[in-house]
Amino acid sequence: MAPTIKARDDVDGCGCLDCRNIEIPATRRSVLDALVWSVRLFRSYPSIVVFAGVIILARRLLETDSINVLPMPVIGVVEVLTAFAFIILIRAYVGTIVAGELTGEPVTRREGLHRSLARTPSLVGVVILTVVLVMTVPFFLALPLFLIVVVLPVTPVDMISFPVAAAIGGITFAVPFLFLLYKVWFALEACVIGQYGPVKSFRVSWRITTNYRGKFVLIGVIAIGSAASLFLPTYLPEMGTSLASLNPVLSLISSSVSELLSIVWASAYAHIYVQGIVS
């Protein structure tokens, strides 16, 4: 059975590391060590690569003209399902396996898939709450600035240059947006590995990121690297002109490789969650 790792206060009985079969070295790994450990983990669990490979193949097929033989509503449903499977279910599956490795209770493919699917309703709740939180709060925080702009007799562009006005508006929204996104970054892991509900998962993630203030920069690097590995390689082939004929192939390869690398980041997230929740 896939292990459940909760905060010590939420554990019935003793919640020490020995009783949870969590070795001390696992709690002392740095963020970069967790990334190296994740790469080694995939050698022991090729099912991660196979699972991710099937979904990545489906995503590549959706980018070809062959998918156009299907009705548009069907294409939309398939796109949503593959996106959810890649962004949420794989992360849940990897997180379950990481929890099993760190507790000395290896998880089978069936157990990993069962835990991921069983937590899907709660995961959907986490995603919805995340979108609402990170979009609504920054909007209301930036609302006074927008109201001031409306009542001013002149536009901000007339008072200051357009780049400065755009920068002020962007920062007013982006700073709280990025802060909230960072604070709820481990809510998915809390939902799957800790089997918390959506609201409790947010609280757990908030506490973990507070404890990791000293590693804020490194965790930020992981977040940026994860995003860059998904989007940047897609555009790199388009930047060259000498290999224009190979751009579609290079784009296909770079997109697939970057998506596989994002699974490594997902394993690191799970590892950091376990470290934070047992600390």
Side-chain angles (χ1 to χ4, degrees):
M1 184 176 181
T4 298
I5 305 178
K6 295 178 176 287
R8 183 170 299 183
D9 296 339
D10 299 327
V11 175
D12 294 331
C14 182
C16 69
L17 296 180
D18 290 338
C19 292
R20 301 195 199 197
N21 295 323
I22 299 176
E23 298 180 357
I24 293 179
T27 64
R28 294 178 177 176
R29 289 192 183 103
S30 67
V31 176
L32 296 179
D33 289 336
L35 285 171
V36 175
W37 179 87
S38 298
V39 174
R40 297 172 181 170
L41 176 69
F42 294 167
R43 282 188 260 172
S44 303
Y45 288 89
S47 62
I48 297 176
V49 179
V50 173
F51 186 18
V54 171
I55 298 177
I56 291 173
L57 177 61
R59 288 167 62 86
R60 296 292 81 80
L61 289 176
L62 287 172
E63 298 171 359
T64 64
D65 295 334
S66 60
I67 195 67
N68 294 331
V69 299
L70 298 175
M72 187 57 66
V74 176
I75 295 176
V77 171
V78 174
E79 289 178 341
V80 170
L81 290 177
T82 54
F84 181 81
F86 180 75
I87 298 173
I88 305 300
L89 289 185
I90 288 185
R91 186 166 168 178
Y93 180 73
V94 171
T96 304
I97 290 178
V98 169
E101 283 296 297
L102 294 179
T103 56
E105 302 175 14
V107 176
T108 64
R109 291 190 298 271
R110 181 177 180 180
E111 292 171 339
L113 290 173
H114 180 268
R115 169 67 66 85
S116 301
L117 294 175
R119 301 301 300 167
T120 294
S122 295
L123 287 170
V124 172
V126 169
V127 173
I128 293 175
L129 287 178
T130 299
V131 173
V132 172
L133 181 65
V134 301
M135 295 302 295
T136 303
V137 174
F139 171 78
F140 281 108
L141 291 177
L143 186 59
L145 179 63
F146 296 143
L147 293 178
I148 293 175
V149 172
V150 171
V151 300
L152 285 176
V154 294
T155 64
V157 178
D158 295 331
M159 299 174 59
I160 55 179
S161 64
F162 175 77
V164 174
I168 293 175
I171 292 174
T172 302
F173 183 88
V175 170
F177 174 85
L178 294 175
F179 174 77
L180 290 171
L181 189 63
Y182 166 74
K183 296 299 292 184
V184 302
W185 196 257
F186 300 103
L188 286 175
E189 282 69 33
C191 181
V192 176
I193 302 175
Q195 297 202 71
Y196 290 109
V199 176
K200 182 64 175 178
S201 296
F202 274 33
R203 294 175 182 173
V204 170
S205 178
W206 197 281
R207 185 168 67 249
I208 290 176
T209 50
T210 301
N211 294 338
Y212 269 85
R213 283 178 296 184
K215 296 184 178 181
F216 178 87
V217 175
L218 285 177
I219 295 176
V221 168
I222 283 187
I224 295 173
S226 181
S229 66
L230 283 175
F231 298 107
L232 184 59
T234 304
Y235 300 100
L236 288 179
E238 300 176 2
M239 297 173 62
T241 56
S242 60
L243 298 177
S245 61
L246 295 179
N247 279 350
V249 177
L250 293 176
S251 178
L252 177 68
I253 295 174
S254 62
S255 297
S256 301
V257 171
S258 64
E259 288 176 349
L260 282 174
L261 290 176
S262 69
I263 310 302
V264 179
W265 300 111
S267 178
Y269 302 151
H271 197 299
I272 293 172
Y273 163 80
V274 174
Q275 287 179 318
I277 203 68
V278 300
S279 298

